[in-house]
Amino acid sequence: MHISDASNAVLQRKTLRWVVLITALALVFDGYDLVVYGTIVSTLLRDPSQIGAVDPVQAGLLGSYALMGVMVGALSAGAVGDFFGRRKIMLINIVWFSLGMAATAMTTSIGAFGLMRFLTGIGVGALVATAGAMVAEFAPAGQRNFYNALVYSGVPLGALFASLLALWLSDLVGWRGLFLIGASPLLFLFPMAVMRLSESPKWLLSRGRVGEAEALSRQIGIPMLSDDALTASAASVVLSGQRSGFAGLCSSRFFVPTVLLGLMSFSGLMLTYGLNTWLPEIMLQYGYDKTYSLLFLVTLNAGAVIGGLVASRAADRFGPRRIVSSTFGLATVSLILITFHLPLSVLLVAIAIAGLGTLGTQVLIYGFVSNYYVTSVRAAGVAWCAGFGRLGGIFGPLLGGALIAAGAAGTAAFYVFAGVALFGALVTLFVPRHPAERASSGASEPGVSSDHDTSSVHASSTID
């Protein structure tokens, strides 16, 4: 028995490593897509020979088209992901995203560029929505916020990657070359996912496919439930006709938290996309040259990567609600500080903290959301927050473009974004405690969904 337990632990670690690696790499290219456009906005504004004459309002619209696609992709993945499985959605959309990036690099008009940004965004949205659901079902209890942060740190890491490549290669390969780099997942990530990415045993169980779930669980070492004795009762609940997907989100149990979690994501993504699209241009208006402006973008995303991972450890220990609210608060303060004439070293620190409070906070939100929901509604819950949140992402670039087109100083933009961060902090404080926490009266770790509370399984008609 001891040997069997040890063998299962080895299998579980191996499976988890592959899931984390593949989903994180997929999200690296989400982050790459997020920022690569921001690095070329100045070029498109100043060189009409690229895709035509682009003004600031059009530039904001082009930045938002991708996010409209992301919203469509995320909501579509939520509608089908809880029915067709995590693995299929991941594979299809790695291909979709890669082809979209390649096609964007070939465009020669504003209309074609915008259309391809929208279509590429559909693949991005589906990947973002599915990754959180997948990791939540493979990561061990008590470490789920950390593993979600590890995976979703792929987003700021990809943003950092795009910033650095733009800094080093933009003069050599141009903006088209930068977009072609974004198509590379088709060459290496898709084959890796085909060979190494497993379906979730918990998802199979949630669909009533008990035999397949048990066989896969033994094969990859990932438990369906923490207590195997719950398997039969959990399956019987599933087969009894419980609501899953978006229908489950509309239940009395999840409706209010779903609205509030969506508003959190709206705030986080409005900050993320607004700053990543317009920070270089705003800092140019502050008098910094192009190299310094891209350096600020690198600093913003480095702060998100490092700060997000550190904050995720705190979220596992103290619960994500208070940590997310605190990081939103840090964003509020840091964005106001950026408007002062600070020494460069202090300014870089403030921008790094803003990175933690914006994109780093969004990483924490994805972890919070993924672990808040149970298996039967998890993909829909993550998709809702990713999709509705992208409305904020759409408004972020539009807002920045409108402010700049109106001749407003960069100071006004930073104050507006600080107000959004403050709103996010307040909304977070009103999110109800996790249902498993209430059911088990504190038996679960703060902010971590429980898979071993028998009463929660029976009383809530879920399998988690």
Side-chain angles (χ1 to χ4, degrees):
M1 188 64 160
H2 176 73
I3 295 175
S4 177
D5 290 344
S7 177
N8 284 339
V10 171
L11 280 174
Q12 182 177 13
R13 285 194 297 270
K14 181 179 178 181
T15 301
L16 180 59
R17 280 196 295 265
W18 278 113
V19 169
V20 169
L21 176 63
I22 291 168
T23 52
L25 284 174
L27 296 188
V28 162
F29 285 90
D30 172 26
Y32 185 89
D33 177 77
L34 157 67
V35 167
V36 73
Y37 176 70
T39 68
I40 70 164
V41 165
S42 297
T43 299
L44 298 182
L45 287 172
R46 291 166 174 78
D47 186 356
S49 69
Q50 299 300 321
I51 60 172
V54 179
D55 61 36
V57 173
Q58 286 178 314
L61 282 170
L62 290 175
S64 295
Y65 287 151
L67 306 181
M68 295 176 190
V70 170
M71 180 176 65
V72 171
L75 294 175
S76 299
V80 301
D82 286 320
F83 295 93
F84 294 107
R86 321 311 191 199
R87 185 176 184 271
K88 289 178 183 176
I89 301 299
M90 290 291 294
L91 292 176
I92 290 170
N93 287 285
I94 289 171
V95 175
W96 185 298
F97 166 81
S98 300
L99 294 177
M101 289 293 279
T104 304
M106 308 300 177
T107 57
T108 57
S109 68
I110 293 174
F113 184 89
L115 175 62
M116 294 316 304
R117 292 293 291 152
F118 173 79
L119 293 176
T120 302
I122 293 176
V124 172
L127 289 173
V128 171
T130 308
M134 194 157 210
V135 173
E137 290 166 16
F138 281 86
Q143 294 180 289
R144 289 175 181 166
N145 283 294
F146 173 71
Y147 277 106
N148 269 279
L150 200 61
V151 166
Y152 279 102
S153 287
V155 178
L157 190 61
L160 180 60
F161 184 46
S163 305
L164 290 171
L165 286 182
L167 195 60
W168 297 333
L169 298 179
S170 59
D171 292 336
L172 182 63
V173 303
W175 71 267
R176 297 181 191 277
L178 293 175
F179 272 84
L180 283 174
I181 291 171
S184 61
L186 185 61
L187 303 178
F188 75 95
L189 184 57
F190 178 70
M192 184 190 302
V194 169
M195 292 186 293
R196 297 294 185 179
L197 190 63
S198 172
E199 186 53 87
S200 162
K202 287 185 181 180
W203 175 79
L204 290 171
L205 185 62
S206 76
R207 303 307 301 164
R209 294 158 63 177
V210 180
E212 293 176 65
E214 290 175 341
L216 182 60
S217 178
R218 289 191 296 269
Q219 179 184 343
I220 65 176
I222 299 295
M224 294 179 294
L225 298 170
S226 297
D227 183 353
D228 291 337
L230 296 179
T231 300
S233 64
S236 67
V237 169
V238 172
L239 295 173
S240 69
Q242 68 167 13
R243 291 191 292 174
S244 62
F246 286 114
L249 295 185
C250 295
S251 66
S252 58
R253 180 185 184 191
F254 287 118
F255 181 76
V256 171
T258 293
V259 171
L260 295 175
L261 291 168
L263 290 173
M264 286 168 54
S265 187
F266 180 96
S267 303
L269 286 168
M270 185 173 185
L271 294 169
T272 294
Y273 281 85
L275 287 174
N276 273 290
T277 299
W278 289 109
L279 183 62
E281 182 66 22
I282 291 173
M283 299 314 285
L284 283 172
Q285 292 187 2
Y286 268 85
Y288 294 94
D289 62 25
K290 181 180 179 181
T291 300
Y292 273 111
S293 295
L294 290 175
L295 174 62
F296 294 136
L297 203 56
V298 170
T299 303
L300 182 80
N301 289 291
V305 173
I306 298 169
L309 287 174
V310 172
S312 71
R313 287 294 195 185
D316 274 324
R317 181 174 180 182
F318 301 109
R321 185 189 304 101
R322 67 184 70 178
I323 301 302
V324 169
S325 182
S326 298
T327 54
F328 265 134
L330 287 173
T332 304
V333 174
S334 61
L335 288 169
I336 292 172
L337 288 176
I338 291 171
T339 64
F340 295 96
H341 297 287
L342 301 171
L344 180 61
S345 58
V346 180
L347 178 60
L348 289 172
V349 171
I351 290 174
I353 294 173
L356 163 62
T358 55
L359 183 49
T361 296
Q362 188 61 31
V363 168
L364 296 176
I365 290 171
Y366 283 133
F368 189 2
V369 171
S370 299
N371 295 318
Y372 195 91
Y373 292 107
V374 296
T375 303
S376 58
V377 297
R378 182 170 285 125
V382 177
W384 156 256
C385 290
F388 180 76
R390 296 298 162 142
L391 285 175
I394 292 167
F395 288 127
L398 288 174
L399 179 60
L403 289 171
I404 290 174
T411 300
F414 285 129
Y415 276 115
V416 170
F417 287 131
V420 174
L422 180 60
F423 173 78
L426 295 175
V427 167
T428 305
L429 293 175
F430 287 96
V431 176
R433 292 176 64 199
H434 187 280
E437 288 183 75
R438 297 196 301 269
S440 58
S441 301
S444 302
E445 289 194 35
V448 179
S449 64
S450 173
D451 285 318
H452 25 251
D453 179 16
T454 308
S455 65
S456 178
V457 172
H458 291 286
S460 304
S461 296
T462 69
I463 69 163
D464 272 38

